[in-house]
Amino acid sequence: MVNFLIFGPPGSGKGTQSVKLAEKFNLLHLSTGDMLRAEIAAGTELGKKMSTIMSKGELVPDSVVIEMIANKIDGSKGIAGFLFDGFPRTVAQTVALEEMLNTRGMKIDCMLALDVEHDELVKRLIGRAEVSGRADDMDPAVIENRIDVYNEKTAPIMNYCEERGVYQPVNGMGSIDDIFGRLVEVMNKIV
Ligand code: AP5
């Protein structure tokens, strides 16, 4: 099994690229954002509790997403590896993921870190607001808060992964196809 993190600020293209990469490399795409939005859409108690936090652009508690991911890892078969999207988002989540993988004889093999300029992130998210219906895309102040939360709580994971020799920065500016090509080039050296 080869396990990748796709990493980057809100709007950097993690979800867009994950769908294409998961298909190309036979990886299971695990997005905690998608899992949380599915809970909200299903009207579960968890979804109701998390929806207020998400609509403000804050992070949900580490314990919630760690449990979601653990459940998915144990239930998957017939794949070449995992592609984690939007998880981990704190150093504590990264440590928990490493432990989860290590106890199952796996590791984080590569962090693909998309680098996108601030104004491009905002432009993409405002553009998506028209079609996504996502509460966290509707308000420019919430978009800025999501980027601030990323810089404060999530970006430090890059240093953590660099120290472990798995950090791979990828230019996330340009067309979806060009960025896909850059990601594939990096991943082909690892699989
Ligand atoms: P999550 O769903 O993970 O959202 P996010 O990180 O804010 O990322 P986005 O989905 O907004 O962006 P993306 O990088 O996937 O870009 P996309 O491909 O969609 O999390 C949402 C919330 O859930 C969090 O704020 C938090 O509350 C909670 N949460 C989730 N995981 C958590 C965790 N682990 N711990 C704690 N809380 C957690 O692209 C964006 C737009 O740009 C799209 O419209 C797309 O079509 C367009 N686009 C993509 N690429 C390009 C391109 N190259 N050129 C032009 N447009 C492009």
Side-chain angles (χ1 to χ4, degrees):
M1 299 272 269
V2 187
N3 303 306
F4 293 90
L5 312 182
I6 188 153
F7 192 85
S12 56
K14 302 183 295 294
T16 304
Q17 297 295 338
S18 289
V19 173
K20 292 159 68 73
L21 294 171
E23 190 187 354
K24 180 166 178 64
F25 291 96
N26 186 29
L27 301 170
L28 183 65
H29 172 209
L30 294 179
S31 157
T32 41
D34 287 350
M35 291 176 210
L36 289 162
R37 281 185 289 278
E39 294 284 339
I40 295 172
T44 65
E45 280 310 309
L46 180 69
K48 284 177 199 155
K49 280 190 204 152
M50 298 307 122
S51 124
T52 315
I53 300 173
M54 290 169 71
S55 65
K56 291 182 196 153
E58 297 294 328
L59 296 182
V60 309
D62 287 341
S63 57
V64 170
V65 283
I66 289 168
E67 192 182 335
M68 283 178 159
I69 289 288
N71 290 340
K72 294 284 182 185
I73 287 180
D74 285 335
S76 51
K77 292 201 172 62
I79 50 163
F82 295 102
L83 177 59
F84 297 98
D85 162 11
F87 180 90
R89 219 129 164 163
T90 60
V91 172
Q93 290 180 23
T94 317
V95 172
L97 177 62
E98 277 186 319
E99 281 175 14
M100 266 188 256
L101 293 173
N102 291 345
T103 55
R104 292 160 177 83
M106 299 184 281
K107 60 184 172 46
I108 298 170
D109 291 284
C110 179
M111 169 203 252
L112 303 155
L114 291 169
D115 187 17
V116 178
E117 290 165 12
H118 172 275
D119 290 356
E120 174 69 11
L121 298 173
V122 175
K123 193 174 118 193
R124 289 184 192 174
L125 293 174
I126 285 175
R128 188 177 61 184
E130 289 168 21
V131 287
S132 72
R134 275 177 59 167
D136 58 351
D137 286 346
M138 302 292 184
D139 180 349
V142 173
I143 290 178
E144 291 298 343
N145 189 45
R146 286 162 65 195
I147 296 171
D148 289 347
V149 167
Y150 168 82
N151 287 328
E152 186 192 333
K153 297 187 174 157
T154 306
I157 301 172
M158 286 190 280
N159 281 339
Y160 185 93
C161 284
E162 193 164 18
E163 283 165 12
R164 275 154 185 73
V166 296
Y167 168 70
Q168 286 284 348
V170 176
N171 178 2
M173 297 288 288
S175 76
I176 290 171
D177 285 347
D178 284 350
I179 299 161
F180 179 67
R182 289 173 206 144
L183 289 162
V184 168
E185 199 179 322
V186 173
M187 291 169 78
N188 271 335
K189 291 183 189 146
I190 292 162
V191 293

